[in-house]
Amino acid sequence: MESTCSHIEAIEEVKHPAKHVCQECIRMGAQWVHLRTCQSCGVTLCCDSSPPRHASAHARAASHPVIASAEPGERWLYCFHDDAFAEY
Ligand SMILES: [Zn+2]
Ligand SMILES: [Zn+2]
Ligand SMILES: [Zn+2]
């Protein structure tokens, strides 16, 4: 990985979703578009294309900057804090 941030560089093993759902969307009856997995705590939440934007809300609220795509076939990490992106 090149030209990423210290948060992404600190990740040695990518966390994958336990369940392919956004638990917050289920709770509020919302529909998600794509899913992202927090690399700090492993929670899987919806992306910024989903109206509730649970993953970015979680990243800000919990100071967990890095997410991985939870979509099948997508292998990338994103840091909200630094707006940094890396494929793995
Ligand atoms: Zn970062
Ligand atoms: Zn959601
Ligand atoms: Zn988290």
Side-chain angles (χ1 to χ4, degrees), residues 16 69 71 73-77 85-88:
H16 296 288
S69 175
E71 297 303 312
E74 293 188 6
R75 294 171 61 84
W76 53 261
L77 299 161
F85 178 88
E87 292 185 283
Y88 65 88

Side-chain angles (χ1 to χ4, degrees), residues 4-9 65-66 78-84:
T4 58
C5 69
S6 58
H7 306 105
I8 288 176
E9 282 167 9
V66 182
Y78 178 74
C79 178
F80 285 105
H81 186 264
D82 297 297
D83 191 24

Side-chain angles (χ1 to χ4, degrees), residues 13-87:
E13 198 171 331
V14 176
K15 289 183 172 66
H16 296 288
K19 284 187 176 177
H20 206 252
V21 298
C22 176
Q23 292 171 358
E24 292 298 317
C25 279
I26 289 176
R27 193 176 302 168
M28 51 188 284
Q31 274 289 320
W32 61 84
V33 179
H34 296 298
L35 293 170
R36 309 293 182 234
T37 300
C38 175
Q39 295 301 298
S40 299
C41 66
V43 68
T44 296
L45 296 166
C46 57
C47 71
D48 278 0
S49 301
S50 313
R53 300 184 178 190
H54 285 130
S56 58
H58 170 80
R60 279 195 303 275
S63 296
H64 291 170
V66 182
I67 50 138
S69 175
E71 297 303 312
E74 293 188 6
R75 294 171 61 84
W76 53 261
L77 299 161
Y78 178 74
C79 178
F80 285 105
H81 186 264
D82 297 297
D83 191 24
F85 178 88
E87 292 185 283

